Amino acid sequence: TAGLIVEELKQGRKTVVAQTGHTTFEVVGKYEDAAWAQPVVLYATGGRVKQYPELTADGALVLRLGYSGMEPSLTEVLKQKRQRVTIITSDHDTRPEYKVPDDYTPVIDTGWAFGDACVQIEGYPIRVFPPSGVMQMVAYEAVNVEVLARLANEK
C-alpha cells in the first residue's frame, strides 16, 4: 500500500483516503500525512455518497478505511469513478454481499470480529469501545509511517 501511495505522489497526485469510522475524522490528512493524503468522508448513506464523485478524481488511487468488508453501494461508486482501491477493513462473514472485490489490492485486514461499538455503560447514551476505529488507526498509521519513511529515503 505504501508503495502505491509513493508512486501516486511521484505522479503529482495525492491518494484519496475514503474514510468511515469512529476516530479517523480528526486525524486523517491533518498532520504529516497531509503530504500524501486527501481525506474524504464516505458513508453508504446520505449526502456523503452524493458529494464523493465531486470531491475525487476519476482513476484516483483510493485507500479505503472501512468497517467490515465493503458496502456494495460504495463499491459501485468507486467502480463508476474507475478508481484503484486498496482497503483497510475486516471480514464481514455474516453478509456475503460485503465481500471485498478481488481487484482491491492490497487488503489490510484489521482482524476484529464483526460487531462494533458494542459495550454499554449504564447512564451513557452511546455504545463505546469501537474496535474498528482503534484498528483502523493502527493500520492507517503503519501505512503513513511507511510512506513517510520511503519519501524521506528518496530525498
Side-chain angles (χ1 to χ4, degrees):
T1 298
L4 293 172
I5 292 168
V6 169
E7 288 303 314
E8 194 73 3
L9 202 54
K10 285 180 183 177
Q11 300 298 318
R13 298 180 298 262
K14 289 188 175 186
T15 296
V16 173
V17 181
Q19 56 184 323
T20 302
H22 293 275
T23 60
T24 60
F25 306 112
E26 298 300 323
V27 176
V28 172
K30 305 275 194 301
Y31 300 98
E32 295 88 357
D33 61 330
W36 61 266
Q38 176 195 347
V40 179
V41 176
L42 182 60
Y43 276 104
T45 58
R48 303 294 187 167
V49 173
K50 291 178 185 172
Q51 71 183 153
Y52 183 85
E54 298 166 11
L55 297 174
T56 65
D58 290 352
L61 176 63
V62 176
L63 172 55
R64 171 73 175 138
L65 301 183
Y67 283 120
S68 295
M70 183 62 187
E71 300 90 332
S73 62
L74 299 183
T75 298
E76 189 56 36
V77 169
L78 298 171
K79 184 178 179 181
Q80 288 174 1
K81 296 285 293 176
R82 299 179 320 280
Q83 293 177 327
R84 299 162 291 127
V85 183
T86 180
I87 187 168
I88 295 173
T89 192
S90 66
D91 283 336
H92 196 317
D93 51 7
T94 62
R95 296 184 67 183
E97 68 272 20
Y98 277 57
K99 180 185 179 297
V100 173
D102 291 336
D103 62 341
Y104 285 20
T105 183
V107 175
I108 300 171
D109 186 349
T110 55
W112 63 276
F114 181 72
D116 203 22
C118 56
V119 175
Q120 288 186 302
I121 298 174
E122 187 176 334
Y124 195 67
I126 61 172
R127 293 173 187 240
V128 296
F129 302 119
S132 68
V134 173
M135 296 310 294
Q136 276 179 352
M137 289 312 304
V138 169
Y140 180 77
E141 285 303 324
V143 170
N144 181 39
V145 167
E146 183 64 23
V147 169
L148 295 174
R150 290 181 186 204
L151 292 174
N153 286 336
E154 292 185 4
K155 289 183 179 177

